[in-house]
């Protein structure tokens, strides 16, 4: 049954552009049902701001089902807020209490520059995938799907990694702003599968080095796993590191054979 | 009414048409492909797969998305699976059976030749996606697993847990990313399509708005593909993502592309009911839940007792009662209407009495909690996150919601709209699902169009333009369209009224839902056709958009999308009014059997209604494409 939360204080980050100085703006929500989602609370705030003739708070969001990875938000210093394994769009107000102060910030990482208010630029993630996060298989001429048997445990492990929604919470939660969980999830998905073997080491080298060019380095804090809305395990980082080491020798051998 | 549409269906028996087309189409040789520029708008399944494949063939491709990354497109949210006529189960499936099921599921309102082609290429999709590394569910021997889905008697649905759409989209995105990385595709992200530019009767390019800077700019091309999704958000509340909109299709319509069957909308029966007045969207609960959940409402209207206090003999398991042979697995349109009737009769449950129960108590006692958790655990968790109720203890509450739109831009067999050089793919076109789409067929169609249809059909058009000059963006028509776009945004920003775009969208959605939703009547549609223009007038006078037209302004973006929904809403109601029959998702209360089932009129309405814009959204021109059935015969759909 629904309850009403009263007297919530929101401290929302406002910043007019990438180069501008930002600041917290305080708003009080007098009353809201706990059935509302967190983003619906921001919708309500925005309706009120427009009513007052002010500009709405800019934030990224789309599917509101926890799958597209568009939403972000540091909520009280936690990426995607207090509920484990839950993206901001699936967070509901029943996780908060009357009288709470809620601090809402954008992802903070040097590789994700702030565009405006709560919106950041995550295109560095796309650069990593463009560097090798694929299996080269041009359309047409693929063999029958069942010609490539994939053992169930392998398919399941690949799927565990492939669930990544690319939201960037791992980077935002990391004290170093590292993208190792994101990169390793994609590498693990593809490197585990038989279809991914031909490009395995080239892929790993290219993706890791593109990652390093944009993001900070991993020092095994494990904050990324705790923040991940899909609860992807940091085991994938170990698998990536192992393949990267192998890549450095294998690729060298292949070059020497030329 | 006139019949001027040439659907360009190839000759021969329906099973040979696609081969005949491929045998006779014009090709562009590899060295010449790089002379052609193709614009693809939208990067969902259809757009990403088309852009990647066209670039692999050697065409210059520019891809546009209003998202920050191509991977955000709403194809990602599809849960259940993708159909393909692989017959890996050996259970009697075939291309012909998938073709037939799709025609029947669409209530005999789709084009035979297109549907047959879809069934043919479905098998290639699975091969292609597996080669790309999509982690489909496997059996212990390593072979692909299948599940069954509504409207079919075979198991032909391939899946990746409850995230099939995500895995397929990421597969197509990765293929697109590869092309972006090696320079085959130029990507314009956070860039919204604004208008189509037509010069000398052919599509010459598009005008777009950079969402970050507000800059309006022109892009010319030899051909343009719109893969911009459906218009389910016309209802405001739907399972679509917040940004899904009709703008690209609608702007093309206003420039001359016919819009087909706008009244064919799919209302999905199992969504979580609305819980408050400012709710922003509805969430789908996978149809697979109906395999074990039992749908019921209290027999007595207004019974507000907690569900466990209502004894068995005071419950109405209405689907099992009305459709004994399909029971809780009756197709989407039929289940949705039955739920609506129960709620309209006052038997609705929950705090707002706006849902029906989907009860797992019987399944839990039969299978044990562990088995139920294994099958549906992630869905139960999602339900609990959203509602705060635990479905292991309390029955779920569900209600139908707008989910998919079968209508869309009219296209011929080659997926070209009535504007030469302008193509529509995926949910944005109307072509394959008739009046109702079967589960797990949307992913199939998006990928079929992008991977295996467009790359063939587009060369048939482009070959004729080899070494001929086409207008570039210096042509005055481009600057004219740019000016119109700028004026439009300035108009929104300068109304200075009192209501936000969202407020208007919500009010508009209520009208469309009430009168052009699950059940339509002549009187209701007439009423809507009075109320929508009145609200639209208010929108023009009382809209408030804060912030300017330069730079990032999400309120301004929303205003443009809502305006297009207004005009579309009028066309949806007009189309529903003129289609004096019930078929699939279009249920007119006047046309039903004694048992309350849809009553088709094959004599007068076995056709596609394709609407031409006249400039006045209240007075569009209706054209007709007759549907000729050579292979299948009309039947009454029965699920009793």
């Amino acid at each position: 049954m629904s309850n009403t939360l009263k007297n919530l204080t929101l401290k929302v980050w406002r910043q007019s552009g990438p180069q501008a100085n930002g600041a917290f703006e305080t708003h009080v929500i007098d009353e809201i049902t706990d059935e509302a989602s967190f983003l619906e609370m921001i919708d309500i705030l925005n309706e009120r701001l427009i009513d007052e003739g002010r500009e709405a708070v800019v934030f990224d969001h789309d599917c509101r089902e926890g799958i597209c990875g568009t939403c972000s938000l540091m909520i009280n210093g936690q990426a995607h807020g207090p509920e484990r394994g839950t993206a901001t769009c699936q967070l509901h107000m029943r996780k908060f209490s009357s009288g709470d102060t809620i601090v809402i910030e954008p992802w903070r990482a040097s590789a994700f520059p702030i565009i405006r208010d709560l919106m950041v630029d995550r295109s560095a993630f796309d650069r990593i995938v463009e560097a090798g996060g694929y299996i080269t298989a041009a359309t047409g001429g693929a063999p029958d799907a069942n010609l490539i048997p994939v053992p169930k445990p392998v398919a399941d492990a690949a799927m565990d990694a492939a669930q990544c929604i690319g939201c960037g919470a791992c980077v935002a939660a990391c004290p170093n702003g590292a993208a190792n969980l994101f990169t390793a999830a994609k590498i693990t998905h593809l490197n585990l599968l038989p279809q991914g073997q031909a490009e395995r080491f080239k892929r790993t080298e290219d993706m890791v080095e593109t990652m390093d060019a944009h993001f900070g380095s991993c020092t095994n804090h494990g904050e990324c796993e705790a923040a991940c809305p899909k609860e992807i395990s940091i085991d994938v980082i170990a698998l990536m590191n192992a393949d990267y080491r192998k890549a450095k020798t294998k690729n060298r051998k292949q070059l020497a054979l030329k | 009414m006139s019949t001027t549409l040439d659907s360009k269906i190839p000759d021969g028996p329906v099973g040979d048409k696609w081969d005949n087309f491929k045998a006779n189409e014009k090709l562009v040789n590899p060295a010449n492909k790089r002379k052609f520029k193709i614009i693809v708008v939208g990067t969902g399944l259809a757009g990403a797969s088309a852009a990647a494949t066209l670039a692999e063939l050697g065409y210059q491709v520019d891809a546009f998305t209003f998202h920050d990354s191509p991977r955000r497109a709403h194809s990602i949210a599809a849960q259940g699976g993708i159909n393909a006529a692989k017959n890996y189960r050996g259970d009697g499936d075939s291309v012909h059976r998938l073709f037939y099921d799709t025609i029947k599921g669409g209530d005999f309102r789709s084009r035979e030749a297109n549907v047959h082609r879809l069934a043919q290429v479905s098998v290639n999709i699975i091969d292609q996606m597996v080669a790309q590394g999509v982690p489909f569910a496997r059996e212990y021997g390593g072979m692909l697993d299948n599940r069954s889905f509504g409207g079919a008697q075979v198991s032909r649905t391939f899946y990746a847990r409850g995230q099939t759409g995500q895995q397929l989209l990421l597969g197509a995105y990765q293929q697109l990313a590869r092309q972006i990385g090696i320079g085959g595709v130029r990507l314009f992200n956070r860039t919204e399509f604004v208008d189509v530019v037509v010069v000398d009767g052919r599509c010459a390019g598009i005008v777009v708005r950079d969402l970050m800077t507000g800059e309006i700019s022109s892009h010319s091309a030899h051909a343009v593909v719109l893969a911009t999704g459906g218009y389910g958000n016309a209802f405001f509340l739907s399972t679509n993502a917040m940004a899904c909109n009709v703008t690209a299709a609608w702007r093309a319509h206003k420039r001359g592309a016919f819009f087909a069957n706008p009244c064919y909308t799919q209302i999905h029966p199992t969504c979580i009911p609305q819980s408050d007045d400012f709710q922003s969207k509805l969430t789908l609960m996978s149809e697979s839940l109906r395999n074990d959940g039992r749908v019921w409402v209290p027999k007595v209207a207004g019974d507000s007792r907690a569900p466990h206090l209502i004894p068995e003999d005071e419950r109405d398991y209405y689907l099992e009662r009305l459709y004994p042979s399909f029971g809780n697995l009756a197709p989407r349109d039929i289940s949705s209407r039955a739920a609506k009737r129960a709620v309209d009769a006052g038997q609705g449950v929950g705090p707002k009495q706006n849902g029906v129960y989907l009860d797992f108590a019987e399944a839990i006692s039969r299978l044990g909690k562990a088995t139920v958790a294994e099958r549906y655990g992630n869905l139960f968790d999602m339900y609990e996150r959203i509602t705060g109720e635990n479905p292991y203890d309390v029955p779920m509450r569900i209600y139908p919601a707008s989910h998919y739109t079968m209508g869309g831009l009219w296209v011929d067999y080659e997926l070209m709209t009535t504007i030469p050089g302008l193509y529509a793919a995926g949910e944005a076109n109307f072509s394959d699902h008739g009046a109702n789409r079967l589960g797990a067929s949307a992913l199939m169609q998006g990928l079929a169009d992008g991977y295996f249809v467009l790359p063939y059909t587009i060369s048939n058009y482009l070959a004729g333009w080899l070494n001929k000059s086409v207008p570039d963006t210096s042509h005055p028509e481009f600057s004219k369209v740019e000016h119109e776009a700028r004026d439009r945004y300035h108009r929104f920003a300068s109304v200075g009224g009192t209501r936000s775009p969202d407020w208007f969208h919500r009010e508009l959605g209520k009208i469309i839902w009430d009168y052009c939703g699950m059940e339509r009547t002549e009187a209701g549609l007439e009423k809507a056709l009075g109320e929508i223009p009145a609200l639209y007038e208010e929108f023009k006078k009382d809209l408030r958009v804060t912030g300017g037209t330069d730079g990032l302004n999400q309120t301004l973006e929303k205003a443009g999308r809502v305006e297009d929904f207004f005009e579309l809403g009028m066309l949806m109601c007009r189309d529903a009014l003129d289609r004096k029959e019930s078929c699939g998702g279009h249920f007119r209360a006047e046309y039903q059997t004694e048992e309350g089932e849809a009553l088709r009129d094959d004599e007068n309405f076995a056709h596609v209604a394709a609407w031409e814009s006249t400039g006045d959204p209240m007075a569009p021109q209706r054209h007709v494409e007759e549907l000729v059935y050579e292979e299948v015969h009309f039947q009454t759909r029965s699920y009793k």
Side-chain angles (χ1 to χ4, degrees), chain B residues 180-214:
Chain B
I180 295 168
I182 60 179
V185 174
R186 283 198 302 170
L187 178 75
F188 295 80
N189 68 336
R190 294 204 194 260
T191 303
E192 181 161 49
F193 171 96
V194 170
D195 218 332
V196 168
V197 180
V198 180
V199 177
D200 300 331
R202 78 169 259 289
C203 177
I206 62 172
V207 167
V208 298
R209 181 171 183 271
D210 181 328
L211 296 182
M212 298 295 98
T213 63

Side-chain angles (χ1 to χ4, degrees), chain B residues 532-597:
Chain B
I532 297 172
L535 187 66
Y536 186 29
E537 284 308 309
E538 212 181 313
F539 172 84
K540 290 185 203 165
K541 284 188 218 128
D542 198 25
L543 175 71
R544 173 181 286 182
V545 172
T546 51
T549 55
D550 299 333
L552 178 59
N553 187 344
Q554 293 176 316
T555 314
L556 184 69
E557 294 162 22
K558 192 79 209 265
R561 294 169 194 164
V562 173
E563 181 174 58
D564 293 332
F565 278 131
F566 268 107
E567 296 192 355
L568 168 79
M570 296 177 213
L571 191 66
M572 286 169 71
C573 295
R574 172 78 49 198
D575 188 44
L577 188 62
D578 282 7
R579 186 167 282 280
K580 297 183 188 346
E581 64 161 351
S582 295
C583 56
H586 170 64
F587 189 81
R588 281 281 300 266
E590 301 94 328
Y591 308 101
Q592 53 181 310
T593 63
E594 280 173 18
E595 296 91 31
E597 301 302 335

Side-chain angles (χ1 to χ4, degrees), chain A residues 42-189:
Chain A
I42 301 182
D43 290 342
I44 291 170
L45 172 66
N46 276 342
E47 286 290 288
R48 199 169 86 193
L49 289 172
I50 294 171
D51 248 11
E52 294 166 0
R54 299 162 70 185
E55 287 189 42
V57 177
V58 172
F59 66 109
D60 262 327
H61 63 102
D62 198 27
C63 77
R64 301 204 177 187
E65 294 182 17
I67 194 74
C68 75
T70 311
C71 67
S72 52
L73 302 188
M74 291 300 269
I75 300 165
N76 290 334
Q78 281 179 290
H80 290 307
E83 195 172 2
R84 206 176 170 90
T86 303
T88 295
C89 66
Q90 293 273 285
L91 179 66
H92 280 67
M93 294 312 295
R94 65 179 73 86
K95 298 287 162 188
F96 297 89
S97 312
S98 292
D100 278 358
T101 295
I102 307 173
V103 180
I104 308 171
E105 295 171 86
W107 286 165
R108 298 213 186 264
S110 56
F112 291 162
I114 294 176
I115 294 170
R116 185 139 168 204
D117 296 343
L118 304 171
M119 182 188 274
V120 301
D121 180 0
R122 286 168 286 193
S123 39
F125 269 7
D126 290 319
R127 302 294 91 77
I128 295 174
V129 178
E130 287 158 15
Y134 47 76
I135 289 169
T136 301
T139 307
D144 185 272
N146 260 349
L147 276 180
I148 316 166
V150 182
K152 190 176 188 308
V154 173
D156 286 348
M159 182 64 204
D160 287 341
Q163 288 191 79
C164 168
I165 59 174
C167 63
C170 47
V171 176
C174 177
N176 307 330
N180 287 53
L181 191 67
F182 169 81
T183 311
K186 186 44 61 193
I187 286 178
T188 301
H189 158 212

Side-chain angles (χ1 to χ4, degrees), chain A residues 1 32-33 35-36 40 43-44 47 50-65 67-70 83 85-86 90 92 94 115-116 119-120 122-123 125-126 129-130 133-140 142-146 148-152 155-156 158-160 162-167 182 186 189-190 193 195 230, chain B residues 53 56 67-72 74 76-77 79 86 88 126-128 130-133 135-136 138-144 160-161 163 166-167 170 173-175 177-178 180-181 189-190 212 239 241-244 275-276 278-284 351 382 384-389 451-452 498 500 502-503 544 546-547 551-552 554-555:
Chain A
M1 283 298 114
I32 187 165
T33 160
E35 299 267 352
E40 282 164 1
D43 290 342
I44 291 170
E47 286 290 288
I50 294 171
D51 248 11
E52 294 166 0
R54 299 162 70 185
E55 287 189 42
V57 177
V58 172
F59 66 109
D60 262 327
H61 63 102
D62 198 27
C63 77
R64 301 204 177 187
E65 294 182 17
I67 194 74
C68 75
T70 311
E83 195 172 2
T86 303
Q90 293 273 285
H92 280 67
R94 65 179 73 86
I115 294 170
R116 185 139 168 204
M119 182 188 274
V120 301
R122 286 168 286 193
S123 39
F125 269 7
D126 290 319
V129 178
E130 287 158 15
Y134 47 76
I135 289 169
T136 301
T139 307
D144 185 272
N146 260 349
I148 316 166
V150 182
K152 190 176 188 308
D156 286 348
M159 182 64 204
D160 287 341
Q163 288 191 79
C164 168
I165 59 174
C167 63
F182 169 81
K186 186 44 61 193
H189 158 212
L190 299 172
L193 292 171
Q195 305 94 300
K230 302 310 270 185
Chain B
T53 304
E56 285 163 3
H67 291 291
D68 64 332
S69 165
R71 65 182 293 155
R72 311 284 185 214
H74 196 54
I76 205 156
Q79 297 171 353
K86 278 289 197 184
Y88 281 163
I126 301 304
D127 298 342
Q128 176 63 24
V130 165
Q132 277 171 223
F136 282 118
R138 300 273 171 170
E139 295 172 337
Y140 282 97
M143 300 295 152
L144 288 155
R161 293 192 190 146
Q163 289 135 276
Q166 182 201 24
Q167 293 309 311
L170 292 181
Y173 156 71
Q174 285 164 204
Q175 198 179 355
R178 173 171 174 266
I180 295 168
N189 68 336
R190 294 204 194 260
M212 298 295 98
T239 66
M242 302 301 288
C244 292
S275 63
D276 51 56
F278 49 83
Q279 187 147 341
S280 59
K281 78 156 275 159
L282 297 170
T283 303
L284 180 76
M382 178 151 89
E384 189 173 3
R385 270 204 292 276
I386 292 170
T387 63
E389 290 177 354
Y451 275 134
F452 297 108
T498 64
S500 70
D502 266 334
W503 185 88
R544 173 181 286 182
T546 51
L552 178 59
Q554 293 176 316
T555 314

